[in-house]
Amino acid sequence: MMLLQLFGVLFLVNLFTIGGGYVMLPLLHEFFVDKFHWLTNQEFLDAVAIGQVTPGPLTIMNAFIGYKVMGLAGAVTATLGSYLPSIIVVTFVTKYYLKFKESRVVGAVFRGIKPAVVGMLAGVAVTLGGASFTDATAVCIGVASFAVMAFTKVDPTIVILGAGAAGALLM
Amino acid sequence: MFLKMGAFAFGGVYSMLSFFQRELVDRKKWIAQDEFTEGVAIGQMTPGPPIINTGIFMGYRLRKMKGALAATAGQALPGFILVLVLAYVYTEFKHIPMVGKVLKGVGAAVVGLLVSVVYRMGRQVIRGWAPAAFAVAGFVLLHFLKVNAIALIALAGLSGYLFYGRPR
């Protein structure tokens, strides 16, 4: 039953998140942390970190969530649920690409969704910041990570590993 | 072939794109340059991770459904295996105080990372008052009014259509 729920949520979330990666975070957070209480805010952050340091898209964090909640079966279910929408939609769109490309409707819909997602992601960042910034050291690490990621081209993996080391030494 | 690609993706999405380009377009000549560009565009406008979708597109062009499935599996597998290992280590060791400290540091960095994503996406997307209003609405409705996130995306798409999509 939980497996089915996991599959359904991830299928739905991935169907609705065009652009992938960070766009899905507000939706995942809502389901797994707020609604089902399968993860705490800290565990959600751990999942994002693991998705970030492993090769391939951030979506792989869903396999981690699946594993965390239901072991190996959960990981497999989560991965299938995450990639199935891609396979279905891409093979469909590839067939009808030209029609799709010229559609003004699609363009207009995206012009609405993109900025809204930026705002939603900001909302999730505030929630998670509230859970994570429990002392001055954590705030410093967060601010440093923001500065490096926003203004330099350093790979996120390096930032995350560095923050882990900083945590071990300073916290 | 696609397995090699997945491992290569360690360097992030952009190294992956240049890898596709070199391997499939320049060296093997399986895919023409303009088809490649088309694949990248499709990857960005379909649900799910763009790079996976571009891979599925190429796989489908080359071998139809079989190619699409092989592309997904090849791209997802290396990361999947590594995540399993990490997830196992995580659940076994997370209660050791030292690991807890590492994770606290990592968590704080991820928050910073998310804010930087908001900043970068915002600079790219929010130009003028209308997108700014969409962003503020998204923030307020999700964060304070706790509106369902999927409903919000659907609502934003609908408003985008009504606002930008009508013939002039």
Side-chain angles (χ1 to χ4, degrees), chain A residues 14-15 17 19 27 30 42-43 46 49 59 79 86 95 97 100 111 119 127 134 145 149-150 152 163 171, chain B residues 38 42 45 47-50 53 60 80 87 90 94 101 103-104 106 109 116 120 131 135 143 149-150 164:
Chain A
N14 280 278
L15 200 58
T17 51
L27 287 80
E30 173 172 312
Q42 175 64 43
E43 286 167 342
D46 297 339
T59 312
T79 309
S86 289
K95 282 187 178 165
Y97 177 61
F100 194 73
R111 284 181 72 181
T127 305
T134 46
S145 145
M149 292 307 304
T152 69
M171 289 179 129
Chain B
E38 193 177 292
I42 287 190
M45 60 167 109
N53 295 346
Y60 187 79
F80 179 73
Y90 174 87
K94 94 178 221 200
K101 285 183 183 179
L103 289 174
K104 271 200 78 182
V106 166
S116 80
R120 288 196 164 188
H143 189 67
I150 288 183
Y164 297 112

mmCIF file of all heavy atoms in Angstrom, chain A residues 14-15 17 19 27 30 42-43 46 49 59 79 86 95 97 100 111 119 127 134 145 149-150 152 163 171, chain B residues 38 42 45 47-50 53 60 80 87 90 94 101 103-104 106 109 116 120 131 135 143 149-150 164:
data_model
loop_
_atom_site.group_PDB
_atom_site.id
_atom_site.type_symbol
_atom_site.label_atom_id
_atom_site.label_comp_id
_atom_site.label_asym_id
_atom_site.label_seq_id
_atom_site.Cartn_x
_atom_site.Cartn_y
_atom_site.Cartn_z
ATOM 1 N N ASN A 14 6.660 13.929 -10.922
ATOM 2 C CA ASN A 14 7.526 14.022 -12.086
ATOM 3 C C ASN A 14 6.772 14.404 -13.347
ATOM 4 O O ASN A 14 7.343 14.991 -14.256
ATOM 5 C CB ASN A 14 8.307 12.727 -12.285
ATOM 6 C CG ASN A 14 9.498 12.674 -11.350
ATOM 7 O OD1 ASN A 14 10.534 13.240 -11.635
ATOM 8 N ND2 ASN A 14 9.324 12.042 -10.202
ATOM 9 N N LEU A 15 5.492 14.082 -13.367
ATOM 10 C CA LEU A 15 4.672 14.484 -14.502
ATOM 11 C C LEU A 15 4.475 16.001 -14.514
ATOM 12 O O LEU A 15 4.320 16.620 -15.552
ATOM 13 C CB LEU A 15 3.313 13.773 -14.403
ATOM 14 C CG LEU A 15 2.489 13.653 -15.669
ATOM 15 C CD1 LEU A 15 3.252 12.916 -16.744
ATOM 16 C CD2 LEU A 15 1.197 12.914 -15.373
ATOM 17 N N THR A 17 6.627 18.305 -13.080
ATOM 18 C CA THR A 17 7.810 19.134 -12.918
ATOM 19 C C THR A 17 8.631 19.161 -14.185
ATOM 20 O O THR A 17 9.476 18.313 -14.406
ATOM 21 C CB THR A 17 8.697 18.641 -11.766
ATOM 22 O OG1 THR A 17 8.929 17.258 -11.944
ATOM 23 C CG2 THR A 17 8.035 18.873 -10.453
ATOM 24 N N GLY A 19 11.490 20.623 -16.413
ATOM 25 C CA GLY A 19 12.741 21.273 -16.074
ATOM 26 C C GLY A 19 13.496 20.453 -15.049
ATOM 27 O O GLY A 19 14.697 20.600 -14.884
ATOM 28 N N LEU A 27 7.087 20.139 -4.365
ATOM 29 C CA LEU A 27 6.069 19.094 -4.384
ATOM 30 C C LEU A 27 6.479 17.910 -3.505
ATOM 31 O O LEU A 27 5.680 17.394 -2.727
ATOM 32 C CB LEU A 27 5.819 18.622 -5.822
ATOM 33 C CG LEU A 27 5.051 19.599 -6.711
ATOM 34 C CD1 LEU A 27 5.963 20.676 -7.241
ATOM 35 C CD2 LEU A 27 4.368 18.891 -7.838
ATOM 36 N N GLU A 30 6.113 18.810 0.138
ATOM 37 C CA GLU A 30 4.722 18.814 0.586
ATOM 38 C C GLU A 30 4.218 17.405 0.895
ATOM 39 O O GLU A 30 3.624 17.162 1.952
ATOM 40 C CB GLU A 30 3.839 19.466 -0.489
ATOM 41 C CG GLU A 30 2.358 19.360 -0.164
ATOM 42 C CD GLU A 30 1.521 20.174 -1.122
ATOM 43 O OE1 GLU A 30 1.869 21.346 -1.354
ATOM 44 O OE2 GLU A 30 0.546 19.631 -1.660
ATOM 45 N N GLN A 42 15.218 17.709 8.278
ATOM 46 C CA GLN A 42 16.646 17.378 8.170
ATOM 47 C C GLN A 42 16.869 16.211 7.201
ATOM 48 O O GLN A 42 17.771 16.249 6.374
ATOM 49 C CB GLN A 42 17.213 17.045 9.557
ATOM 50 C CG GLN A 42 18.654 16.570 9.557
ATOM 51 C CD GLN A 42 19.655 17.636 9.077
ATOM 52 O OE1 GLN A 42 19.557 18.799 9.446
ATOM 53 N NE2 GLN A 42 20.601 17.232 8.234
ATOM 54 N N GLU A 43 16.029 15.195 7.276
ATOM 55 C CA GLU A 43 16.180 14.049 6.370
ATOM 56 C C GLU A 43 15.930 14.451 4.923
ATOM 57 O O GLU A 43 16.558 13.924 4.008
ATOM 58 C CB GLU A 43 15.230 12.918 6.787
ATOM 59 C CG GLU A 43 15.703 12.196 8.044
ATOM 60 C CD GLU A 43 14.639 11.291 8.647
ATOM 61 O OE1 GLU A 43 13.435 11.460 8.324
ATOM 62 O OE2 GLU A 43 14.999 10.425 9.447
ATOM 63 N N ASP A 46 19.062 15.927 3.767
ATOM 64 C CA ASP A 46 20.028 14.855 3.504
ATOM 65 C C ASP A 46 19.761 14.234 2.140
ATOM 66 O O ASP A 46 20.689 13.944 1.379
ATOM 67 C CB ASP A 46 19.938 13.762 4.580
ATOM 68 C CG ASP A 46 20.289 14.288 5.972
ATOM 69 O OD1 ASP A 46 20.955 15.331 6.052
ATOM 70 O OD2 ASP A 46 19.889 13.651 6.963
ATOM 71 N N ALA A 49 21.016 16.450 -0.554
ATOM 72 C CA ALA A 49 22.482 16.393 -0.607
ATOM 73 C C ALA A 49 22.942 15.129 -1.313
ATOM 74 O O ALA A 49 23.827 15.170 -2.173
ATOM 75 C CB ALA A 49 23.060 16.444 0.808
ATOM 76 N N THR A 59 16.946 13.903 -9.509
ATOM 77 C CA THR A 59 15.816 12.984 -9.363
ATOM 78 C C THR A 59 16.191 11.702 -8.634
ATOM 79 O O THR A 59 15.354 11.070 -8.003
ATOM 80 C CB THR A 59 15.281 12.611 -10.761
ATOM 81 O OG1 THR A 59 15.127 13.815 -11.494
ATOM 82 C CG2 THR A 59 13.971 11.899 -10.696
ATOM 83 N N THR A 79 12.340 4.802 -8.157
ATOM 84 C CA THR A 79 13.034 5.085 -9.409
ATOM 85 C C THR A 79 12.098 4.885 -10.598
ATOM 86 O O THR A 79 12.044 5.716 -11.506
ATOM 87 C CB THR A 79 14.267 4.174 -9.541
ATOM 88 O OG1 THR A 79 15.021 4.277 -8.330
ATOM 89 C CG2 THR A 79 15.130 4.599 -10.701
ATOM 90 N N SER A 86 8.750 10.436 -17.769
ATOM 91 C CA SER A 86 9.682 10.892 -18.799
ATOM 92 C C SER A 86 9.569 10.035 -20.049
ATOM 93 O O SER A 86 9.451 10.545 -21.161
ATOM 94 C CB SER A 86 11.126 10.809 -18.303
ATOM 95 O OG SER A 86 11.353 11.784 -17.329
ATOM 96 N N LYS A 95 7.274 12.202 -31.348
ATOM 97 C CA LYS A 95 6.463 11.947 -32.543
ATOM 98 C C LYS A 95 5.784 13.204 -33.062
ATOM 99 O O LYS A 95 5.624 13.388 -34.260
ATOM 100 C CB LYS A 95 5.379 10.916 -32.232
ATOM 101 C CG LYS A 95 5.886 9.505 -32.201
ATOM 102 C CD LYS A 95 4.693 8.564 -32.052
ATOM 103 C CE LYS A 95 5.143 7.119 -32.065
ATOM 104 N NZ LYS A 95 4.068 6.242 -31.578
ATOM 105 N N TYR A 97 6.635 16.429 -32.359
ATOM 106 C CA TYR A 97 7.454 17.559 -31.922
ATOM 107 C C TYR A 97 7.101 18.877 -32.592
ATOM 108 O O TYR A 97 6.919 19.895 -31.942
ATOM 109 C CB TYR A 97 8.934 17.261 -32.143
ATOM 110 C CG TYR A 97 9.812 18.416 -31.781
ATOM 111 C CD1 TYR A 97 9.823 18.898 -30.469
ATOM 112 C CD2 TYR A 97 10.593 19.047 -32.733
ATOM 113 C CE1 TYR A 97 10.607 19.964 -30.117
ATOM 114 C CE2 TYR A 97 11.385 20.122 -32.387
ATOM 115 C CZ TYR A 97 11.394 20.581 -31.089
ATOM 116 O OH TYR A 97 12.167 21.639 -30.743
ATOM 117 N N PHE A 100 4.102 20.635 -31.425
ATOM 118 C CA PHE A 100 4.280 21.041 -30.047
ATOM 119 C C PHE A 100 5.122 22.306 -29.959
ATOM 120 O O PHE A 100 4.826 23.220 -29.208
ATOM 121 C CB PHE A 100 4.977 19.889 -29.312
ATOM 122 C CG PHE A 100 4.953 19.986 -27.824
ATOM 123 C CD1 PHE A 100 3.787 19.756 -27.135
ATOM 124 C CD2 PHE A 100 6.098 20.295 -27.120
ATOM 125 C CE1 PHE A 100 3.759 19.819 -25.754
ATOM 126 C CE2 PHE A 100 6.080 20.375 -25.742
ATOM 127 C CZ PHE A 100 4.900 20.138 -25.066
ATOM 128 N N ARG A 111 5.321 30.363 -19.375
ATOM 129 C CA ARG A 111 5.658 31.693 -18.867
ATOM 130 C C ARG A 111 4.968 31.954 -17.542
ATOM 131 O O ARG A 111 5.407 32.784 -16.752
ATOM 132 C CB ARG A 111 5.281 32.764 -19.894
ATOM 133 C CG ARG A 111 6.275 32.812 -21.033
ATOM 134 C CD ARG A 111 5.922 33.868 -22.030
ATOM 135 N NE ARG A 111 6.152 35.212 -21.522
ATOM 136 C CZ ARG A 111 5.885 36.315 -22.227
ATOM 137 N NH1 ARG A 111 5.367 36.203 -23.441
ATOM 138 N NH2 ARG A 111 6.120 37.496 -21.726
ATOM 139 N N GLY A 119 9.091 31.243 -6.885
ATOM 140 C CA GLY A 119 8.510 31.633 -5.601
ATOM 141 C C GLY A 119 8.265 30.453 -4.684
ATOM 142 O O GLY A 119 8.534 30.509 -3.479
ATOM 143 N N THR A 127 11.313 27.285 4.751
ATOM 144 C CA THR A 127 10.933 26.222 5.694
ATOM 145 C C THR A 127 12.146 25.408 6.133
ATOM 146 O O THR A 127 12.365 25.165 7.330
ATOM 147 C CB THR A 127 9.918 25.257 5.033
ATOM 148 O OG1 THR A 127 8.819 26.023 4.558
ATOM 149 C CG2 THR A 127 9.428 24.215 6.020
ATOM 150 N N THR A 134 19.974 26.150 13.143
ATOM 151 C CA THR A 134 19.690 26.127 14.576
ATOM 152 C C THR A 134 20.745 26.868 15.387
ATOM 153 O O THR A 134 20.539 27.159 16.546
ATOM 154 C CB THR A 134 19.603 24.676 15.081
ATOM 155 O OG1 THR A 134 20.717 23.958 14.536
ATOM 156 C CG2 THR A 134 18.320 24.018 14.634
ATOM 157 N N SER A 145 27.720 28.755 1.546
ATOM 158 C CA SER A 145 27.306 27.890 0.440
ATOM 159 C C SER A 145 26.519 28.688 -0.605
ATOM 160 O O SER A 145 26.734 28.542 -1.808
ATOM 161 C CB SER A 145 26.496 26.731 1.000
ATOM 162 O OG SER A 145 25.481 26.342 0.126
ATOM 163 N N MET A 149 27.781 29.196 -4.461
ATOM 164 C CA MET A 149 26.943 28.675 -5.542
ATOM 165 C C MET A 149 26.372 29.775 -6.430
ATOM 166 O O MET A 149 26.163 29.568 -7.610
ATOM 167 C CB MET A 149 25.775 27.861 -4.958
ATOM 168 C CG MET A 149 26.163 26.572 -4.290
ATOM 169 S SD MET A 149 27.167 25.532 -5.326
ATOM 170 C CE MET A 149 26.106 25.400 -6.750
ATOM 171 N N ALA A 150 26.090 30.921 -5.848
ATOM 172 C CA ALA A 150 25.452 31.980 -6.636
ATOM 173 C C ALA A 150 26.470 32.760 -7.461
ATOM 174 O O ALA A 150 26.156 33.223 -8.553
ATOM 175 C CB ALA A 150 24.670 32.929 -5.716
ATOM 176 N N THR A 152 30.039 31.860 -8.014
ATOM 177 C CA THR A 152 31.192 31.211 -8.647
ATOM 178 C C THR A 152 30.682 29.993 -9.421
ATOM 179 O O THR A 152 29.496 29.680 -9.388
ATOM 180 C CB THR A 152 32.220 30.717 -7.603
ATOM 181 O OG1 THR A 152 31.649 29.628 -6.890
ATOM 182 C CG2 THR A 152 32.615 31.821 -6.648
ATOM 183 N N ALA A 163 31.067 21.339 3.146
ATOM 184 C CA ALA A 163 30.179 21.658 4.260
ATOM 185 C C ALA A 163 30.146 20.505 5.261
ATOM 186 O O ALA A 163 30.071 20.722 6.476
ATOM 187 C CB ALA A 163 28.784 21.968 3.751
ATOM 188 N N MET A 171 30.891 21.827 14.428
ATOM 189 C CA MET A 171 29.602 21.756 15.119
ATOM 190 C C MET A 171 29.623 20.896 16.382
ATOM 191 O O MET A 171 30.486 20.115 16.587
ATOM 192 C CB MET A 171 28.558 21.246 14.143
ATOM 193 C CG MET A 171 28.273 22.319 13.110
ATOM 194 S SD MET A 171 27.065 21.775 11.915
ATOM 195 C CE MET A 171 25.937 23.152 11.986
ATOM 196 N N GLU B 38 17.267 19.811 -31.391
ATOM 197 C CA GLU B 38 15.848 19.538 -31.164
ATOM 198 C C GLU B 38 15.668 18.685 -29.902
ATOM 199 O O GLU B 38 14.787 18.941 -29.079
ATOM 200 C CB GLU B 38 15.340 18.774 -32.386
ATOM 201 C CG GLU B 38 13.869 18.646 -32.525
ATOM 202 C CD GLU B 38 13.558 17.913 -33.830
ATOM 203 O OE1 GLU B 38 13.803 18.477 -34.912
ATOM 204 O OE2 GLU B 38 13.088 16.776 -33.744
ATOM 205 N N ILE B 42 13.490 19.472 -26.560
ATOM 206 C CA ILE B 42 12.438 18.570 -26.057
ATOM 207 C C ILE B 42 12.727 18.188 -24.611
ATOM 208 O O ILE B 42 11.830 18.163 -23.768
ATOM 209 C CB ILE B 42 12.346 17.302 -26.941
ATOM 210 C CG1 ILE B 42 11.707 17.666 -28.267
ATOM 211 C CG2 ILE B 42 11.539 16.213 -26.233
ATOM 212 C CD1 ILE B 42 11.355 16.490 -29.123
ATOM 213 N N MET B 45 11.432 20.820 -22.271
ATOM 214 C CA MET B 45 10.010 21.159 -22.133
ATOM 215 C C MET B 45 9.140 19.961 -21.794
ATOM 216 O O MET B 45 7.920 20.052 -21.810
ATOM 217 C CB MET B 45 9.507 21.874 -23.376
ATOM 218 C CG MET B 45 9.619 21.082 -24.629
ATOM 219 S SD MET B 45 8.659 21.906 -25.885
ATOM 220 C CE MET B 45 9.877 22.545 -26.949
ATOM 221 N N PRO B 47 8.272 16.744 -18.899
ATOM 222 C CA PRO B 47 8.437 16.550 -17.456
ATOM 223 C C PRO B 47 9.615 15.639 -17.141
ATOM 224 O O PRO B 47 9.954 14.765 -17.928
ATOM 225 C CB PRO B 47 7.121 15.893 -17.031
ATOM 226 C CG PRO B 47 6.477 15.414 -18.263
ATOM 227 C CD PRO B 47 7.018 16.201 -19.400
ATOM 228 N N GLY B 48 10.222 15.857 -15.997
ATOM 229 C CA GLY B 48 11.358 15.042 -15.570
ATOM 230 C C GLY B 48 12.670 15.726 -15.883
ATOM 231 O O GLY B 48 12.679 16.811 -16.425
ATOM 232 N N PRO B 49 13.771 15.088 -15.507
ATOM 233 C CA PRO B 49 15.078 15.728 -15.697
ATOM 234 C C PRO B 49 15.394 15.911 -17.183
ATOM 235 O O PRO B 49 15.313 14.951 -17.944
ATOM 236 C CB PRO B 49 16.057 14.733 -15.062
ATOM 237 C CG PRO B 49 15.248 13.639 -14.485
ATOM 238 C CD PRO B 49 13.847 13.760 -14.929
ATOM 239 N N PRO B 50 15.743 17.134 -17.604
ATOM 240 C CA PRO B 50 15.970 17.415 -19.016
ATOM 241 C C PRO B 50 16.983 16.481 -19.665
ATOM 242 O O PRO B 50 16.760 16.016 -20.774
ATOM 243 C CB PRO B 50 16.508 18.844 -19.003
ATOM 244 C CG PRO B 50 15.986 19.436 -17.766
ATOM 245 C CD PRO B 50 15.873 18.325 -16.771
ATOM 246 N N ASN B 53 15.637 13.155 -20.370
ATOM 247 C CA ASN B 53 14.673 13.231 -21.462
ATOM 248 C C ASN B 53 15.346 13.363 -22.813
ATOM 249 O O ASN B 53 14.898 12.781 -23.796
ATOM 250 C CB ASN B 53 13.715 14.401 -21.231
ATOM 251 C CG ASN B 53 12.859 14.181 -19.998
ATOM 252 O OD1 ASN B 53 12.802 13.074 -19.480
ATOM 253 N ND2 ASN B 53 12.220 15.228 -19.525
ATOM 254 N N TYR B 60 15.088 6.879 -28.546
ATOM 255 C CA TYR B 60 13.882 6.609 -29.317
ATOM 256 C C TYR B 60 14.137 6.799 -30.810
ATOM 257 O O TYR B 60 13.707 6.004 -31.636
ATOM 258 C CB TYR B 60 12.747 7.526 -28.852
ATOM 259 C CG TYR B 60 11.422 7.189 -29.486
ATOM 260 C CD1 TYR B 60 10.667 6.126 -29.014
ATOM 261 C CD2 TYR B 60 10.930 7.933 -30.553
ATOM 262 C CE1 TYR B 60 9.461 5.806 -29.590
ATOM 263 C CE2 TYR B 60 9.717 7.621 -31.134
ATOM 264 C CZ TYR B 60 8.988 6.552 -30.653
ATOM 265 O OH TYR B 60 7.792 6.234 -31.228
ATOM 266 N N PHE B 80 21.768 5.214 -9.419
ATOM 267 C CA PHE B 80 20.900 4.393 -8.575
ATOM 268 C C PHE B 80 21.729 3.498 -7.655
ATOM 269 O O PHE B 80 21.473 3.413 -6.457
ATOM 270 C CB PHE B 80 19.986 3.545 -9.470
ATOM 271 C CG PHE B 80 19.068 2.630 -8.710
ATOM 272 C CD1 PHE B 80 17.986 3.152 -8.019
ATOM 273 C CD2 PHE B 80 19.293 1.270 -8.670
ATOM 274 C CE1 PHE B 80 17.132 2.322 -7.305
ATOM 275 C CE2 PHE B 80 18.454 0.431 -7.962
ATOM 276 C CZ PHE B 80 17.367 0.960 -7.279
ATOM 277 N N ALA B 87 22.583 5.262 0.781
ATOM 278 C CA ALA B 87 21.392 5.156 1.621
ATOM 279 C C ALA B 87 21.630 4.122 2.722
ATOM 280 O O ALA B 87 21.242 4.316 3.878
ATOM 281 C CB ALA B 87 20.182 4.761 0.776
ATOM 282 N N TYR B 90 23.981 5.609 5.187
ATOM 283 C CA TYR B 90 23.243 6.645 5.908
ATOM 284 C C TYR B 90 22.394 6.048 7.028
ATOM 285 O O TYR B 90 22.462 6.469 8.179
ATOM 286 C CB TYR B 90 22.375 7.403 4.910
ATOM 287 C CG TYR B 90 21.438 8.425 5.503
ATOM 288 C CD1 TYR B 90 21.863 9.729 5.743
ATOM 289 C CD2 TYR B 90 20.112 8.101 5.792
ATOM 290 C CE1 TYR B 90 21.010 10.670 6.266
ATOM 291 C CE2 TYR B 90 19.250 9.042 6.313
ATOM 292 C CZ TYR B 90 19.700 10.323 6.556
ATOM 293 O OH TYR B 90 18.849 11.251 7.069
ATOM 294 N N LYS B 94 23.854 6.938 10.745
ATOM 295 C CA LYS B 94 23.467 8.320 10.994
ATOM 296 C C LYS B 94 23.364 8.669 12.481
ATOM 297 O O LYS B 94 23.347 9.831 12.848
ATOM 298 C CB LYS B 94 22.192 8.654 10.223
ATOM 299 C CG LYS B 94 20.902 8.491 10.961
ATOM 300 C CD LYS B 94 19.767 8.921 10.063
ATOM 301 C CE LYS B 94 18.780 9.696 10.870
ATOM 302 N NZ LYS B 94 17.468 9.789 10.297
ATOM 303 N N LYS B 101 26.974 15.422 12.891
ATOM 304 C CA LYS B 101 27.568 16.748 12.674
ATOM 305 C C LYS B 101 27.803 17.012 11.193
ATOM 306 O O LYS B 101 27.506 18.093 10.691
ATOM 307 C CB LYS B 101 28.912 16.837 13.408
ATOM 308 C CG LYS B 101 28.786 16.988 14.906
ATOM 309 C CD LYS B 101 30.174 17.142 15.496
ATOM 310 C CE LYS B 101 30.139 17.222 17.011
ATOM 311 N NZ LYS B 101 31.487 17.343 17.549
ATOM 312 N N LEU B 103 26.210 15.719 8.738
ATOM 313 C CA LEU B 103 24.920 15.917 8.074
ATOM 314 C C LEU B 103 24.330 17.294 8.387
ATOM 315 O O LEU B 103 23.672 17.894 7.546
ATOM 316 C CB LEU B 103 23.938 14.811 8.475
ATOM 317 C CG LEU B 103 24.261 13.437 7.884
ATOM 318 C CD1 LEU B 103 23.327 12.388 8.448
ATOM 319 C CD2 LEU B 103 24.188 13.458 6.365
ATOM 320 N N LYS B 104 24.573 17.784 9.608
ATOM 321 C CA LYS B 104 24.068 19.125 9.934
ATOM 322 C C LYS B 104 24.741 20.174 9.056
ATOM 323 O O LYS B 104 24.103 21.099 8.559
ATOM 324 C CB LYS B 104 24.313 19.450 11.417
ATOM 325 C CG LYS B 104 23.169 18.993 12.310
ATOM 326 C CD LYS B 104 23.190 19.723 13.641
ATOM 327 C CE LYS B 104 22.630 21.126 13.508
ATOM 328 N NZ LYS B 104 22.673 21.880 14.763
ATOM 329 N N VAL B 106 26.071 19.616 6.119
ATOM 330 C CA VAL B 106 25.601 19.413 4.753
ATOM 331 C C VAL B 106 24.208 20.016 4.580
ATOM 332 O O VAL B 106 23.922 20.682 3.583
ATOM 333 C CB VAL B 106 25.590 17.901 4.419
ATOM 334 C CG1 VAL B 106 24.792 17.632 3.154
ATOM 335 C CG2 VAL B 106 27.014 17.388 4.271
ATOM 336 N N ALA B 109 24.337 23.660 4.133
ATOM 337 C CA ALA B 109 24.838 24.005 2.799
ATOM 338 C C ALA B 109 23.761 23.816 1.736
ATOM 339 O O ALA B 109 23.660 24.596 0.791
ATOM 340 C CB ALA B 109 26.057 23.154 2.464
ATOM 341 N N SER B 116 20.542 29.796 -3.632
ATOM 342 C CA SER B 116 21.278 30.214 -4.829
ATOM 343 C C SER B 116 20.528 29.809 -6.101
ATOM 344 O O SER B 116 20.559 30.521 -7.099
ATOM 345 C CB SER B 116 22.695 29.636 -4.819
ATOM 346 O OG SER B 116 22.690 28.295 -5.240
ATOM 347 N N ARG B 120 19.449 32.380 -8.930
ATOM 348 C CA ARG B 120 19.817 32.258 -10.349
ATOM 349 C C ARG B 120 18.599 32.125 -11.248
ATOM 350 O O ARG B 120 18.497 32.780 -12.274
ATOM 351 C CB ARG B 120 20.731 31.052 -10.541
ATOM 352 C CG ARG B 120 22.099 31.307 -9.979
ATOM 353 C CD ARG B 120 23.106 30.327 -10.491
ATOM 354 N NE ARG B 120 24.442 30.859 -10.212
ATOM 355 C CZ ARG B 120 25.558 30.325 -10.667
ATOM 356 N NH1 ARG B 120 25.511 29.283 -11.435
ATOM 357 N NH2 ARG B 120 26.716 30.866 -10.363
ATOM 358 N N PRO B 131 6.031 38.581 -14.158
ATOM 359 C CA PRO B 131 6.664 37.393 -13.569
ATOM 360 C C PRO B 131 6.938 37.570 -12.073
ATOM 361 O O PRO B 131 6.809 36.605 -11.300
ATOM 362 C CB PRO B 131 7.987 37.260 -14.330
ATOM 363 C CG PRO B 131 7.828 38.050 -15.560
ATOM 364 C CD PRO B 131 6.829 39.122 -15.284
ATOM 365 N N ALA B 135 5.787 35.081 -9.069
ATOM 366 C CA ALA B 135 6.707 34.508 -8.087
ATOM 367 C C ALA B 135 6.232 34.779 -6.667
ATOM 368 O O ALA B 135 6.201 33.888 -5.817
ATOM 369 C CB ALA B 135 8.112 35.058 -8.301
ATOM 370 N N HIS B 143 3.804 28.989 0.926
ATOM 371 C CA HIS B 143 4.439 29.061 2.236
ATOM 372 C C HIS B 143 3.472 29.451 3.351
ATOM 373 O O HIS B 143 3.478 28.870 4.414
ATOM 374 C CB HIS B 143 5.610 30.033 2.188
ATOM 375 C CG HIS B 143 6.446 29.981 3.442
ATOM 376 N ND1 HIS B 143 7.183 28.871 3.776
ATOM 377 C CD2 HIS B 143 6.636 30.877 4.434
ATOM 378 C CE1 HIS B 143 7.797 29.093 4.916
ATOM 379 N NE2 HIS B 143 7.490 30.298 5.348
ATOM 380 N N ALA B 149 0.751 22.030 -3.808
ATOM 381 C CA ALA B 149 1.770 22.441 -4.776
ATOM 382 C C ALA B 149 1.401 22.090 -6.218
ATOM 383 O O ALA B 149 1.658 22.860 -7.144
ATOM 384 C CB ALA B 149 3.115 21.819 -4.406
ATOM 385 N N ILE B 150 0.807 20.927 -6.423
ATOM 386 C CA ILE B 150 0.437 20.545 -7.784
ATOM 387 C C ILE B 150 -0.673 21.456 -8.301
ATOM 388 O O ILE B 150 -0.643 21.922 -9.440
ATOM 389 C CB ILE B 150 0.019 19.056 -7.839
ATOM 390 C CG1 ILE B 150 1.281 18.190 -7.659
ATOM 391 C CG2 ILE B 150 -0.678 18.731 -9.153
ATOM 392 C CD1 ILE B 150 1.041 16.710 -7.749
ATOM 393 N N TYR B 164 -0.853 35.423 -21.138
ATOM 394 C CA TYR B 164 0.037 35.585 -22.298
ATOM 395 C C TYR B 164 -0.513 34.943 -23.570
ATOM 396 O O TYR B 164 -0.050 35.241 -24.659
ATOM 397 C CB TYR B 164 1.387 34.928 -22.021
ATOM 398 C CG TYR B 164 2.176 35.523 -20.899
ATOM 399 C CD1 TYR B 164 2.391 34.809 -19.727
ATOM 400 C CD2 TYR B 164 2.730 36.794 -21.028
ATOM 401 C CE1 TYR B 164 3.140 35.352 -18.694
ATOM 402 C CE2 TYR B 164 3.473 37.336 -19.998
ATOM 403 C CZ TYR B 164 3.680 36.612 -18.832
ATOM 404 O OH TYR B 164 4.419 37.146 -17.828
#
